[in-house]
Each structure stands twice: as C-alpha cells, then as structure tokens.
Amino acid sequence: LYLGTGSSMEEGFMLVFPERLLAGDMPHKDFLHLYGPGSLWALAGWYKLVGVSITAERVFGLAQLAGIVFGVMALVWPWGRRVATAAGILGVLLTTTAIGLTALAWDGAVAFIVASVWVGLRARRWLTDTDDPPTAAALGRADRLLVGSGVLAGLALLFRPVAIVAVGLATLSLIAGD
C-alpha cells in the first residue's frame, strides 16, 4: 500500500493543506477545507517533525488505521482471543481496501471514538466491578478515565465534527451500561 496509487484528490489534500498551514495560510480564508481542523493540525505537526512527503502522510494514515483496528480488538477482547483476532483481521480488510493508507480525517475521528469508548468502559469497570460501593481510589481513577474519554471524544470531533452522532451514541451507551 505504500507503493500503490492512493486516492489522488484526498491524498493531495492531506499533503498540501497541512503544508500550507505550516506556511502560515489559514483554512477557510486562504483555502477551502471541508472537515474539522484536527486532521490538519495533527498532520502539520507530523510534517514539521518528519517533513512533507507521501511516505510521511501514509505512515500517519497507517497509524490511524492501526488505532482503529487495535481499538476494536481491545473492545472485543473480553469475548476471547479468537474473537479479537477475527475482529482484527476483518478490521484490516475493511480499513485498508477502501482507500489505502491515506490519512483521512474520518480515520482519525473513528480511531479517537474507539479509544474514547474503550477508556469509558475502563472507567465503568472501576465503578461497577464489585457489589460494594466504589472506594475513593476507584472513584478517583474512574473520574480521570472519564475525563480522558471525554478528551478523546473531543479530539474525534476536531477531526470530523459530523462524528457528533457517533460520539453521542457512544456516550449514551456508556451511560446506559449493562
């Protein structure tokens, strides 16, 4: 996938727009960008570290896709290693066949949503693991995890504001529980 042709328009956007941001241009003033600013900021920071290249963009895209795949595997891990492996294989097939390793804003948003749900579930576990009321230490840890879950959900919305529906549904499912 590193050597293959990606989607030229999307890959071009994810190369040129962050580079223009580094040069001082502003989205919606100097160029039209239809997604949230998070993907541009993240890629601009990445390009500042490693330079602007198609390889750097695809490494970033691979990291986003790995976040989705490993996040889904972590979510289904309670059902066993076989289920997690099957979810991982299916995740790889679904995420890499559509558009390759392009660093899309959607991929970043989905990776952050999956991470937010996983962290939120960890917080619920600290609160509901036993029949006894949670200890002060467990409440403190759960509070920190819930804040982390909220920060990750906010980062998802920075990448794609329309992900508010997925973030809202995920939040409702975490609140409803059981």
Side-chain angles (χ1 to χ4, degrees):
L1 291 173
Y2 277 107
L3 303 176
T5 303
S7 176
S8 56
M9 186 173 75
E10 282 80 8
E11 205 152 48
F13 287 160
M14 302 322 280
L15 281 167
V16 174
F17 289 172
E19 186 176 26
R20 290 189 66 185
L21 198 65
L22 289 172
D25 289 348
M26 295 302 296
H28 306 295
K29 178 182 174 230
D30 300 312
F31 61 92
L32 177 63
H33 183 64
L34 300 175
Y35 309 117
S39 60
L40 291 183
W41 295 340
L43 274 168
W46 176 245
Y47 292 159
K48 193 164 180 77
L49 284 174
V50 300
V52 179
S53 70
I54 194 82
T55 301
E57 184 263 339
R58 289 181 177 181
V59 166
F60 193 90
L62 177 63
Q64 291 182 144
L65 295 177
I68 295 170
V69 171
F70 286 113
V72 169
M73 289 175 68
L75 285 174
V76 300
W77 190 259
W79 286 280
R81 186 179 307 178
R82 287 184 185 186
V83 173
T85 302
I89 291 169
L90 184 62
V92 167
L93 292 174
L94 290 174
T95 59
T96 59
T97 55
I99 203 157
L101 299 178
T102 304
L104 298 174
W106 264 118
D107 295 339
V110 171
F112 280 124
I113 292 168
V114 170
S116 172
V117 170
W118 185 82
V119 171
L121 288 171
R122 304 312 306 163
R124 282 188 57 83
R125 183 173 180 196
W126 277 96
L127 294 174
T128 61
D129 237 6
T130 65
D131 292 332
D132 301 327
T135 64
L139 286 172
R141 181 166 172 97
D143 285 346
R144 288 188 298 278
L145 288 171
L146 289 172
V147 168
S149 178
V151 167
L152 290 166
L155 288 171
L157 296 177
L158 276 175
F159 273 63
R160 282 300 299 241
V162 297
I164 188 72
V165 174
V167 168
L169 290 173
T171 302
L172 288 175
S173 69
L174 286 172
I175 291 169
D178 301 340

